[in-house]
Amino acid sequence: MLIDSHAHLDDPRFDNDRDKLINSLEDNGVEIVINIGADLQTSISSVSLAEKYDNIYAAIGVHPHSAKEVDNSTIEVLRTFAKRDKVVAIGEIGLDYYYDNSPRDIQRKWFIEQLNLAKELNLPVVIHTRDAAQETFDILKEAQDGSLRGVLHCYSGSVEMAMEYIKMGFYISLGGPVTFKNAKVSKEVAKNIPLDKLLIETDCPYLTPEPYRGKRNEPVYVRYVAGTIAELRGITYEELERTTNRNTKDLFKIF
């Protein structure tokens, strides 16, 4: 039984079959899904899903794309919802300088505020970073006072930076791109980081792995991520499954 550590099952692309899909997860080898918020609305939707289904847990937070929509009242709503039993993380939060959907200074401000919220509530963070690798690292290093923990989701950086994040106390999560033929850097990360610091994910409905690339991603496709990484590392699928499950439960304190 695998855990999908990062999914967006509240996305409209699941509107026609969401209940059926979630109810079939266990029969298809997926024990737990962490559903991730990206703005206030999807954060609340994530909590609702988690409270409806035993096998769903929620992360809540505002993605850098939506940082321009955040104010102090947003943080207060997140603080309130973060105290619900099925909420296990603050995320996804971070920086995205590829699209620049929100001004960079605003992204930085609310990234830091949400890191502070996570520390206040003793919750891990789920980090999104794109085209902002060094600045994301610098902000996390500055924020790390010994209490901050979390995961770099769908990690696309170098092995060297991954090792630095691990030294800082973070996990690294890999998703569908590790299955792509041209994903040389992701494959090197998969082969070289400590197995006890690895999580796996789908980021569904995005980033569908081979052999379903181009179609809607689903939590059950996390098996292709697991299989690829196990092959790259020269270990059994069962060892990869067992270790990443334990890592995910340890990080998000799911018992």
Side-chain angles (χ1 to χ4, degrees):
M1 297 289 282
L2 294 165
I3 296 177
D4 182 358
S5 70
H6 192 113
H8 300 278
L9 290 173
D10 56 293
D11 187 276
R13 276 168 277 190
F14 294 107
D15 284 353
N16 292 331
D17 63 348
R18 184 178 295 108
D19 290 345
K20 180 180 177 182
L21 186 152
I22 294 173
N23 286 321
S24 69
L25 288 175
E26 186 173 355
D27 289 339
N28 286 289
V30 177
E31 178 188 3
I32 288 168
V33 174
I34 314 295
N35 202 76
I36 311 293
D39 55 24
L40 201 52
Q41 180 180 344
T42 57
S43 292
I44 293 169
S45 297
S46 288
V47 175
S48 296
L49 271 182
E51 292 181 342
K52 182 176 180 180
Y53 297 100
D54 289 344
N55 56 344
I56 307 292
Y57 290 82
I60 61 171
V62 179
H63 189 288
H65 286 346
S66 299
K68 62 182 179 290
E69 302 166 9
V70 180
D71 57 23
N72 289 329
S73 66
T74 309
I75 301 299
E76 288 307 311
V77 174
L78 291 174
R79 179 179 282 108
T80 299
F81 274 92
K83 295 173 183 175
R84 303 281 188 99
D85 288 344
K86 294 293 290 295
V87 175
V88 296
I90 300 297
E92 61 186 282
I93 62 176
L95 302 175
D96 193 310
Y97 294 170
Y98 180 81
Y99 287 106
D100 278 329
N101 286 350
S102 290
R104 294 184 180 186
D105 59 330
I106 299 299
Q107 291 188 44
R108 289 189 288 268
K109 171 182 169 60
W110 294 112
F111 180 25
I112 292 167
E113 289 294 328
Q114 290 179 95
L115 290 173
N116 290 335
L117 178 64
K119 291 194 289 185
E120 172 195 327
L121 299 173
N122 192 29
L123 287 171
V125 289
V126 178
I127 303 298
H128 170 102
T129 180
R130 188 170 185 187
D131 281 12
Q134 190 61 52
E135 192 162 355
T136 301
F137 180 86
D138 291 343
I139 287 173
L140 288 171
K141 189 171 184 179
E142 175 71 20
Q144 181 56 282
D145 58 3
S147 67
L148 188 63
R149 66 191 196 280
V151 57
L152 277 294
H153 120 80
C154 204
Y155 183 77
S156 60
S158 68
V159 175
E160 292 77 17
M161 183 166 276
M163 295 300 193
E164 292 301 313
Y165 274 121
I166 289 166
K167 287 179 190 175
M168 207 194 297
F170 285 86
Y171 289 80
I172 301 297
S173 182
L174 297 173
V178 77
T179 70
F180 302 166
K181 289 182 174 62
N182 62 349
K184 182 179 177 182
V185 175
S186 292
K187 291 180 189 296
E188 287 300 311
V189 171
K191 285 192 287 187
N192 287 289
I193 66 168
L195 189 57
D196 65 353
K197 293 298 181 181
L198 175 67
L199 272 57
I200 55 175
E201 64 170 271
T202 60
D203 199 18
C204 68
Y206 316 106
L207 298 176
T208 312
E210 298 288 359
Y212 294 101
R213 192 174 181 182
K215 299 181 180 179
R216 184 188 75 173
N217 202 1
E218 301 178 7
V220 295
Y221 295 160
V222 75
R223 69 181 69 162
Y224 298 104
V225 177
T228 297
I229 296 172
E231 184 177 350
L232 286 166
R233 296 186 71 99
I235 62 175
T236 65
Y237 182 93
E238 289 74 21
E239 182 180 356
L240 190 286
E241 174 184 60
R242 183 170 60 250
T243 306
T244 56
N245 282 11
R246 182 174 65 245
N247 296 344
T248 307
K249 289 178 179 179
D250 284 349
L251 173 62
F252 294 116
K253 298 194 180 305
I254 297 170
F255 306 108

